[in-house]
Amino acid sequence: MFDVLIILIIVFVILILGALVVAIFLVFRSDFKTISFDKFNKKEIEKAGELGESIVANRLQEIAKKYDGQLFNEFIFKDRYNGKYSTEIDHVLITRGGVFVIETKYITGTIYGKESDEEWVCFKKGNLKNKTMRNPIKQNTTHINSLKKMFDVTSPKMTSIVIF
């Protein structure tokens, strides 16, 4: 029962974190350069993604410290079976309450997509072109499956979280 309570608290804190990221962006958005998908500048988009991941990483580090956990950011590894690059996971938070695999998306606009879709679409008001992105739910499922392959024994329960 205590473990379930900790998990619920962590999920609640992460949801609050997501709301905080949005609030920070809205308050300070005049300080950030708006990313235009019409002019699709990959470096600007990557820079914004890194900023979002940094904000989330800082908050997750506080959670890890509070719950005596461990946080891994930009978790990259090779598949031990074929030796090739496997995947990059934004954040892996390990606590007594479980393993949380977290994908961060730092974008603005209205996002459309279903859990079953391969790609989602982000519409930005005033832009003629829309940005497509890999479905982050499926992306995180791939991350979890890659992590599970690393265990010789039964892997721990892993929870997928996507933060926008």
Side-chain angles (χ1 to χ4, degrees):
M1 183 66 174
F2 184 72
D3 287 344
V4 173
L5 182 60
I6 289 175
I7 291 172
L8 289 175
I9 290 170
I10 290 171
V11 170
F12 178 76
V13 169
I14 290 173
L15 290 173
I16 296 297
L17 171 68
L20 180 63
V21 168
V22 171
I24 290 170
F25 178 78
L26 292 175
V27 169
F28 296 107
R29 70 179 170 193
S30 62
D31 295 341
F32 298 111
K33 186 173 183 180
T34 302
I35 299 171
S36 170
F37 294 123
D38 289 337
K39 296 178 180 148
F40 193 79
N41 183 331
K42 189 173 180 177
K43 286 186 179 183
E44 287 180 356
I45 292 173
E46 286 175 359
K47 190 174 181 179
E50 289 170 6
L51 174 63
E53 288 176 19
S54 176
I55 292 168
V56 172
N58 288 337
R59 183 63 184 111
L60 289 173
Q61 188 59 52
E62 293 173 16
I63 293 169
K65 185 176 179 180
K66 182 175 182 178
Y67 292 99
D68 196 30
Q70 182 67 45
L71 176 65
F72 300 93
N73 297 303
E74 295 183 42
F75 189 83
I76 302 171
F77 58 93
K78 291 184 179 182
D79 188 300
R80 70 176 170 181
Y81 298 107
N82 63 21
K84 295 181 180 178
Y85 168 79
S86 178
T87 190
E88 178 182 347
I89 303 172
D90 292 341
H91 316 280
V92 178
L93 176 62
I94 302 172
T95 68
R96 289 177 295 189
V99 177
F100 301 89
V101 180
I102 303 159
E103 176 67 24
T104 301
K105 297 295 182 190
Y106 193 69
I107 56 176
T108 59
T110 304
I111 300 166
Y112 293 96
K114 293 185 243 171
E115 188 173 347
S116 60
D117 293 341
E118 290 300 318
E119 291 187 333
W120 288 5
V121 180
C122 177
F123 296 96
K124 281 190 82 169
K125 189 175 181 178
N127 283 351
L128 299 176
K129 293 182 182 177
N130 301 311
K131 181 183 184 327
T132 59
M133 71 175 112
R134 187 170 170 209
N135 176 337
I137 296 170
K138 287 189 173 195
Q139 184 178 2
N140 230 20
T141 299
T142 300
H143 293 161
I144 288 173
N145 290 336
S146 295
L147 276 175
K148 285 181 178 181
K149 285 182 186 178
M150 294 178 65
F151 292 90
D152 290 327
V153 294
T154 304
S155 64
K157 181 181 183 307
M158 298 183 195
T159 302
S160 175
I161 299 173
V162 178
I163 298 176
F164 284 92

